[in-house]
Structure formats: structure tokens, C-alpha cells
């Protein structure tokens, strides 16, 4: 554990609320998109593996990333007095990576996590609480997504940023990505298909150099049918010149599903288009090609879940 420097001050005007929090009617659309394994590995080395550990390191499990659009209808803290303040709507657009915690001596995978390596949200309260408490690397966004899963035709994400990087560029809104349905398969399968084997095959081909079984991966991927994500995050805070980190840690935060209202695979085919933004270069970050690709295994789920706080796995002060 890191050194305790005193109780956190919930002073008047400070928007930080205590977790865990409960999420009601979270409507998630998921799409697997292809990146580049070596580029993803470099991203993991620059984040999770930058926190020194004598015993373990973190390794991506696949060149495929999971891109999700999630509209959460109602979020509130479960802790008094914050639970009495009110509730908020939140939309998250996230690029997830499956990550293994690996023992340095045996080279055996000890645990598998989902890493929200890129995340944007639509309100400032979600951004502030997410960054400061959990360590989510959140950014504000504007977005388009379906209001009804039966008409899941168009998705889009725009960010207010500098494009291109240039001393004369004024910050403005720019589209980073869009997703469009390009064939009509009748909207949804009524029941979810068995996708564990297909996703396991996407992942397992990339991790033959560590001791990990296909069965472990399929158990991990079962989160698609029974959505639970044991999340891992890189949490850091800079000093006053953004030169040194005053805090740096790898943390994990469990999600516990309370109820599933609907879950199904999308029959249709979807085309993902990634635009080049200098501030968020998906090609350099994750090896996701600029331009168009077909999404794999698109799915939809509507659920209620609880998000726990963040527990330290490794700290620079350990």
C-alpha cells in the first residue's frame, strides 16, 4: 500500500463523492476492432508497466480491442451522505484491452483484466470523479448513439481538441470515429449466441509465449454473456510542472452485475471509421488503422451494475 498522508478532505465545493456507486439501465453496444499487438504492448509498457514491480508485469492478450458505447441512465453513490445528493446520466465511449497479470518467474498468467485505455464521457462530474478517485483517463466528448437497440444504425464520437497540432490552431470540435450499420440482418438475435470460442481464438493466438489456457480466456470472455468486467487502471498525478509523478499506481476496480435486462448479438455488419486526430492518434496509440474496418462480434446489453472503488495492485510508494 502507498504511504498514508492523511484523510481525504471532502470540503465544501469539492465534487468528489465516495464509491461504490450503482448504475441503472446501462445500455452498452460493443464492437471488436483490430489494432497492432506491438503497438498495444508499447502502450501497456508506457502505462501499467511503468509502475515498478519485482514480481509481476502486464501483457496485452490480443491485437483486438473492444470499442463500447454505453449510455447509463442513472448513477448515484451508494455511500451516505453522497447517496442523498442526487443522480446523473452518463455516457462512456471506451477502448478496452484484455490484459494479463503475469508472474515474472513462472511466466504464468495470474489474472485477466479489462483495461479502459481510452475513455470519454459526456459530463464534468463523471470526468472529475472518474479521474481523481479511480484513475480513469477521461476526456469530455460529444457523441451520437441510438436511443433504441432496434435502430442501432449510427454511432459517432467528437472531441474538442487541437487539430492539427500547430501554434495557430484554435481548439475546436473534431470527429474521432464513427460506426455505421451497412447490412440489415434484422437488428438482433433474440438470444445471445455462443461467442466465447470465437473471441478466445481472437485472443489466444497472440499469447502463446505465456502460460495461459484457452479455458481461462473463455471464462474471462464469458463477461459478454454475463457482463462483469474486472477493470485495471493506470492512476497517476503530476507535480506542479507535470515533470514528476506525485502518485503512480496500478489499481483495479470490480464491476458487479445486479440485473441483465437484455443481451443479444447484433446480426448486422458494422463499419468503423477512424479519423486522424493529433491529440488522440489511434494508429500510434493502439495500432488501429486510420480509415475503415469491419467490426467483429457486435453485441448489445442492457444491465444494472455496481462499480466498486479502486484497489491498489502496485504502487510507486509500495
Amino acid at each position: 500500500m502507498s504511504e498514508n498522508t492523511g484523510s481525504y478532505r471532502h470540503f465544501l465545493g469539492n465534487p468528489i463523492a465516495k464509491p461504490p456507486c450503482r448504475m441503472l439501465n446501462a445500455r452498452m453496444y460493443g464492437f471488436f476492432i483490430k489494432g497492432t499487438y506491438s503497438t498495444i504492448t508499447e502502450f501497456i509498457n508506457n502505462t501499467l508497466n511503468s509502475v515498478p514491480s519485482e514480481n509481476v508485469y502486464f501483457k496485452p492478450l490480443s491485437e483486438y480491442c473492444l470499442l463500447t458505447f454505453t449510455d447509463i441512465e442513472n448513477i448515484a453513490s451508494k455511500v451516505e451522505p453522497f447517496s442523498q445528493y442526487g443522480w446523473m446520466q452518463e455516457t462512456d465511449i471506451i477502448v478496452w484491452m484484455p490484459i494479463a497479470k503475469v508472474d515474472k518467474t513462472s511466466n504464468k498468467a495470474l489474472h485477466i483484466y479489462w483495461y479502459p485505455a481510452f475513455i470519454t464521457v459526456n459530463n464534468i462530474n463523471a470526468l472529475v470523479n472518474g479521474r481523481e478517485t479511480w484513475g480513469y483517463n477521461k476526456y469530455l466528448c460529444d457523441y451520437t448513439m441510438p436511443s433504441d437497440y432496434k435502430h442501432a444504425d449510427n454511432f459517432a464520437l467528437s472531441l474538442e481538441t487541437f487539430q492539427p497540432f500547430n501554434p495557430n490552431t484554435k481548439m475546436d470540435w473534431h470527429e474521432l470515429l464513427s460506426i455505421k450499420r451497412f447490412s440489415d440482418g434484422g437488428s438482433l438475435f433474440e438470444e445471445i449466441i455462443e461467442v466465447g470460442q470465437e473471441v478466445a481464438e481472437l485472443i489466444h493466438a497472440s499469447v502463446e509465449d505465456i502460460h495461459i489456457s484457452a479455458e481461462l480466456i473463455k471464462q474471462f470472455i464469458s463477461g459478454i454473456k454475463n457482463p462483469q468486467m474486472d477493470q485495471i487502471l493506470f492512476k497517476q498525478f503530476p507535480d506542479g510542472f507535470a515533470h514528476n509523478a506525485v502518485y503512480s499506481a496500478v489499481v483495479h476496480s470490480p464491476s458487479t452485475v445486479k440485473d441483465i435486462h437484455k443481451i443479444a448479438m447484433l446480426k448486422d455488419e458494422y463499419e468503423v471509421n477512424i479519423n486522424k486526430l493529433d491529440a488522440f492518434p489511434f494508429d500510434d496509440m493502439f495500432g488501429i488503422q486510420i480509415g475503415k474496418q469491419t467490426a467483429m462480434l457486435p453485441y448489445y446489453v442492457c444491465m444494472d451494475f455496481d462499480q466498486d472503488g479502486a484497489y491498489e495492485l502496485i504502487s510507486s510508494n509500495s
Side-chain angles (χ1 to χ4, degrees):
M1 296 294 292
S2 61
E3 181 182 355
N4 191 327
T5 57
S7 299
Y8 184 81
R9 308 305 299 175
H10 290 270
F11 55 85
L12 293 177
N14 181 0
I16 299 300
K18 288 184 178 180
C21 50
R22 58 110 180 100
M23 320 285 201
L24 303 180
N25 290 327
R27 301 183 304 110
M28 174 190 285
Y29 298 85
F31 309 87
F32 284 90
I33 57 176
K34 189 175 182 179
T36 303
Y37 190 78
S38 60
T39 307
I40 293 171
T41 300
E42 183 177 0
F43 188 90
I44 300 307
N45 288 339
N46 287 332
T47 55
L48 299 176
N49 286 328
S50 71
V51 185
S53 171
E54 295 182 359
N55 303 316
V56 299
Y57 69 97
F58 299 95
K59 183 179 182 65
L61 293 180
S62 178
E63 63 186 0
Y64 284 89
C65 306
L66 174 60
L67 172 61
T68 60
F69 278 67
T70 307
D71 169 64
I72 308 172
E73 182 180 291
N74 188 306
I75 302 177
S77 172
K78 298 181 69 175
V79 180
E80 296 279 0
F82 310 101
S83 58
Q84 302 303 310
Y85 290 176
W87 60 273
M88 67 179 184
Q89 182 276 338
E90 178 180 341
T91 299
D92 302 315
I93 295 95
I94 304 177
V95 174
W96 303 88
M97 297 174 185
I99 299 293
K101 181 174 71 173
V102 183
D103 182 86
K104 286 184 175 180
T105 301
S106 66
N107 213 33
K108 180 179 180 180
L110 304 175
H111 198 85
I112 303 179
Y113 300 91
W114 284 104
Y115 181 26
F118 169 84
I119 175 169
T120 64
V121 295
N122 65 326
N123 75 68
I124 190 65
N125 194 285
L127 184 147
V128 172
N129 276 272
R131 289 186 73 98
E132 295 198 16
T133 301
W134 282 270
Y136 288 108
N137 188 28
K138 290 186 174 183
Y139 200 83
L140 284 177
C141 72
D142 190 22
Y143 67 96
T144 299
M145 66 179 291
S147 59
D148 184 339
Y149 69 83
K150 295 180 180 178
H151 302 92
D153 298 323
N154 295 291
F155 304 77
L157 170 65
S158 294
L159 305 174
E160 191 175 21
T161 185
F162 305 106
Q163 180 58 28
F165 281 168
N166 185 286
N168 297 317
T169 296
K170 180 182 178 181
M171 181 175 283
D172 204 350
W173 288 96
H174 300 275
E175 184 177 273
L176 174 61
L177 62 88
S178 62
I179 306 173
K180 297 185 183 298
R181 183 172 67 176
F182 67 91
S183 68
D184 185 1
S187 186
L188 295 175
F189 285 111
E190 286 305 314
E191 301 295 335
I192 191 164
I193 62 174
E194 294 290 334
V195 297
Q197 181 64 42
E198 296 177 63
V199 180
E201 289 173 1
L202 290 182
I203 293 176
H204 197 247
S206 300
V207 291
E208 294 176 348
D209 58 330
I210 61 174
H211 303 309
I212 184 170
S213 67
E215 287 72 25
L216 178 60
I217 294 176
K218 284 190 284 186
Q219 181 182 2
F220 164 69
I221 294 300
S222 69
I224 295 175
K225 296 194 297 179
N226 182 23
Q228 291 191 201
M229 288 187 171
D230 196 3
Q231 300 178 32
I232 192 169
L233 302 111
F234 173 57
K235 183 177 181 179
Q236 67 168 345
F237 294 108
D239 66 12
F241 291 89
H243 179 70
N244 294 312
V246 297
Y247 177 82
S248 180
V250 177
V251 302
H252 79 101
S253 179
S255 302
T256 302
V257 175
K258 297 297 186 180
D259 194 14
I260 298 176
H261 307 296
K262 180 72 177 179
I263 183 167
M265 300 303 298
L266 298 170
K267 283 184 177 180
D268 306 327
E269 293 185 301
Y270 287 85
E271 185 176 74
V272 180
N273 184 51
I274 306 294
N275 296 314
K276 180 72 172 181
L277 291 189
D278 288 351
F280 302 95
F282 271 23
D283 51 347
D284 295 331
M285 293 166 68
F286 313 126
I288 299 173
Q289 68 180 31
I290 302 301
K292 297 177 180 179
Q293 65 170 285
T294 301
M296 299 187 66
L297 302 174
Y299 69 89
Y300 169 81
V301 60
C302 181
M303 58 185 167
D304 301 336
F305 68 98
D306 288 352
Q307 189 65 48
D308 205 347
Y311 301 87
E312 282 189 358
L313 293 175
I314 304 169
S315 171
S316 56
N317 296 321
S318 296

